[in-house]
Amino acid sequence: MTEPETDATRTARAQDPATAAAPTSGGTPTSAAAPTSAAASAPAGAPGTVGRELRRRPLFLVTGGCVLLLLVLAVAPGLFAGWFGHGDPRVCDLGDSARGPAPGHPFGFDTQGCDLYANVVHGAGASLGVGLLATGSGLLVALVLGTLAGMAGRVVDSVIARVTDIFLGFPFLLGAVVVLNTVTSRDVFTVAAVLALFGWPAMTRVVRASVRSAREADYVVMARSLGGSEWHIVRRHVLPNILTPVLVLASITVGGVVVAEAALTFLGVGLQSPSISWGLQLASAQNTFQTHPHLLIFPGLFLSFTVFSLIAFGDTVRDALDPRTR
């Protein structure tokens, strides 16, 4: 036989949240703490919340539109190259070598007498192609190794960390120069593979840190307590909640890789003809830009606009994910 509950007991029960949901002597358990537990177990940065936050930011709409335009330009340059003339970057006339802007040729001609506007438009494909391929390959490696390091034990984590440190010990551009100097044919895929070789370690560290943070979240702990396998937890709970910040980092990385490709090509160890890229156009202008500045200005403007759009887009999405800026 239980003793009747006194006023002092009821007062203590009301003040203690840990016992507020405990069963009383004559009733059933209450569910006052259930909403709090459910809210704590929900992952932060839900897609709906992030989407509403992004739509309220004009800079996201502007930079997102610019990035979309650049992607269309890279995939289908023919839609834009023929706006003012024939649009073929390989139709050249040495009689027009290095001529300035003229009717039908708003950017003028390069040193080979080719239409510079058509070359700049078609150059977006190679430059962005290297950036996207290198970043995508590096991101795939980072997701695999970073997830293993974050979810596995100390031994696997230590091995991956030491391998990452070794690659981080090589300067990015210097390592790419050394490797590319040993390659006889340098096309989009070769340059992208070399840049990915030295680009994955930084992204791996970010993925590892995100995974280690996500695996301690309430919804992951609950899934593990319900008997979920590690593969199920990674696939259904960890990866979906780290993918957004990782993709933001990747969008910023694309801009850096585009600049790296242009720098390597300018130094003579990047893309080679017959490829068409902004780096090749800047390299061909280095000896004549003082007398023919248009050879440097227009490819440089397109390169700067692309890098600015990609980095600004990534920064805007990152700010939307940060609750401190809301």
Side-chain angles (χ1 to χ4, degrees):
M1 180 176 179
T2 59
E3 296 181 359
E5 192 175 42
T6 64
D7 293 339
T9 306
R10 285 193 294 269
T11 302
R13 186 185 299 277
Q15 292 175 349
D16 187 0
T19 59
T24 60
S25 57
T28 58
T30 62
S31 58
T36 303
S37 301
S41 63
T49 303
V50 175
R52 288 192 297 271
E53 182 67 24
L54 287 174
R55 286 192 295 270
R56 293 205 305 264
R57 295 173 179 260
L59 185 59
F60 167 77
L61 300 177
V62 174
T63 56
C66 292
V67 171
L68 180 61
L69 177 63
L70 288 169
L71 292 176
V72 175
L73 186 69
V75 173
L79 297 176
F80 305 90
W83 279 6
F84 303 101
H86 51 73
D88 191 342
R90 303 191 188 279
V91 174
C92 309
D93 184 356
L94 287 176
D96 294 325
S97 177
R99 278 183 57 195
H105 306 278
F107 291 1
F109 300 84
D110 63 12
T111 55
Q112 301 298 321
C114 307
D115 181 48
L116 187 57
Y117 170 77
N119 272 272
V120 169
V121 170
H122 281 267
S127 296
L128 281 174
V130 170
L132 293 173
L133 283 174
T135 304
S137 302
L139 179 61
L140 182 61
V141 175
L143 284 173
V144 174
L145 295 182
T147 302
L148 284 175
M151 296 296 294
R154 288 186 176 181
V155 175
V156 176
D157 187 16
S158 298
V159 171
I160 294 176
R162 298 294 77 78
V163 174
T164 302
D165 290 340
I166 292 173
F167 276 88
L168 287 174
F170 293 97
F172 181 76
L173 281 179
L174 181 59
V177 169
V178 172
V179 175
L180 286 172
N181 267 324
T182 64
V183 179
T184 56
S185 177
R186 299 188 294 270
D187 55 10
V188 170
F189 296 99
T190 303
V191 175
V194 172
L195 291 176
L197 178 65
F198 294 97
W200 65 266
M203 288 189 285
T204 299
R205 283 191 167 184
V206 174
V207 172
R208 173 186 175 275
S210 300
V211 169
R212 290 180 68 88
S213 176
R215 74 176 187 178
E216 304 298 334
D218 290 344
Y219 53 91
V220 174
V221 174
M222 292 174 63
R224 187 177 288 113
S225 66
L226 291 174
S229 64
E230 289 297 310
W231 167 244
H232 173 81
I233 291 173
V234 169
R235 182 171 56 89
R236 294 294 300 273
H237 300 288
V238 175
L239 285 180
N241 289 285
I242 70 166
L243 205 55
T244 301
V246 170
L247 290 178
V248 170
L249 173 65
S251 68
I252 298 175
T253 304
V254 172
V257 174
V258 170
V259 173
E261 178 274 321
L264 292 171
T265 304
F266 185 83
L267 294 173
V269 294
L271 294 175
Q272 296 174 315
S273 298
S275 298
I276 301 176
S277 77
W278 296 328
L280 283 171
Q281 293 159 17
L282 293 174
S284 65
Q286 61 180 322
N287 296 323
T288 58
F289 75 92
Q290 292 181 338
T291 55
H292 306 288
H294 67 282
L295 298 178
L296 182 68
I297 291 174
F298 294 113
L301 286 176
F302 268 67
L303 176 63
S304 301
F305 174 77
T306 300
V307 174
F308 172 79
S309 299
L310 289 168
I311 293 178
F313 175 77
D315 284 341
T316 305
V317 178
R318 182 182 58 190
D319 291 342
L321 292 173
D322 190 351
R324 293 173 296 180
T325 62
R326 298 179 187 173

